[in-house]
Amino acid sequence: MREQREIVQIKGWEEDDLDLLFQLNAPEMMNHLGGPEREEKVFSRHQRYLALKDKGSMYSIQLQPQNEKVGSVGFWHKSVDGEEAYEVGWSVLPSFQGKGIATRATKLAIKEALAKNNWAIHAFPSIDNPGSNAICRKLHFSFLTECEFEYPPGNLMRCNHWRLEASSIR
């Protein structure tokens, strides 16, 4: 008997997504991103996500039919080598990882980004995060280079720089 895959949806970030953001800030979730943020930083991040409207979008990742929040995904404006672009990022709670949820949600977010602007999409997963790098490969991003990336501010990390051309999606 074949296992039925749950439907992955993304929903615009809302005030009541703060609890999800605290869950995503757990040490096991932030080990590739410089460690968990202090409480006030999580509140500040939540406010940035709510206000992101013109320069990008953040979403909660939800599984249907349960309407269960399992992660976040989003995109935001970034200038890369003088070019207007979007950066995309995602995070899925540990008990939901390895099921293709992040890949499906990121694909939906990329479609939303391209509906706003026909810009290239960039991703910067840690070189030590095989799951996120695999998502870039599955979604046909091109690997550009290893680089240093400051995240969070004041913390330099080694990342893989991936790029997805808007024309390769359409």
Side-chain angles (χ1 to χ4, degrees):
M1 186 171 187
R2 217 178 136 187
E3 183 181 324
Q4 184 178 357
R5 279 180 29 155
E6 295 164 302
I7 297 170
V8 174
Q9 292 182 332
I10 59 174
K11 185 176 178 190
W13 199 259
E14 297 179 338
E15 194 65 50
D16 72 351
D17 290 325
L18 180 60
D19 182 57
L20 172 64
L21 195 56
F22 273 106
Q23 292 176 57
L24 293 170
N25 191 50
E28 65 272 17
M29 293 294 301
M30 299 296 288
N31 64 340
H32 295 295
L33 298 171
E37 295 179 307
R38 295 185 322 274
E39 185 175 295
E40 62 270 12
K41 292 285 190 182
V42 176
F43 282 115
S44 177
R45 174 181 300 282
H46 179 61
Q47 291 306 311
R48 283 194 317 274
Y49 285 1
L50 289 169
L52 195 57
K53 312 269 185 260
D54 292 335
K55 296 198 179 233
S57 292
M58 284 302 297
Y59 305 93
S60 62
I61 301 171
Q62 300 185 7
L63 295 184
Q64 302 300 332
Q66 310 92 308
N67 200 33
E68 184 172 10
K69 295 178 183 179
V70 300
S72 68
V73 65
F75 61 91
W76 47 92
H77 174 262
K78 182 173 188 75
S79 179
V80 180
D81 297 327
E83 170 192 52
E84 301 297 314
Y86 284 123
E87 181 181 345
V88 66
W90 54 88
S91 185
V92 172
L93 295 170
S95 61
F96 297 95
Q97 293 176 6
K99 300 177 181 183
I101 293 168
T103 302
R104 289 182 275 160
T106 302
K107 188 173 185 178
L108 292 171
I110 288 169
K111 287 181 181 180
E112 293 291 328
L114 293 177
K116 285 190 178 207
N117 287 296
N118 201 30
W119 295 341
I121 312 284
H122 293 260
F124 297 90
S126 166
I127 61 170
D128 298 322
N129 188 334
S132 286
N133 284 286
I135 289 168
C136 291
R137 284 188 293 279
K138 287 178 198 171
L139 293 176
H140 308 290
F141 279 73
S142 297
F143 175 76
L144 299 180
T145 188
E146 256 188 47
C147 63
E148 277 194 339
F149 196 82
E150 187 175 15
Y151 187 87
N155 180 59
L156 288 178
M157 57 188 275
R158 295 294 299 164
C159 294
N160 286 326
H161 182 180
W162 297 85
R163 177 187 171 104
L164 180 66
E165 293 296 332
S167 60
S168 68
I169 300 294
R170 303 235 180 235

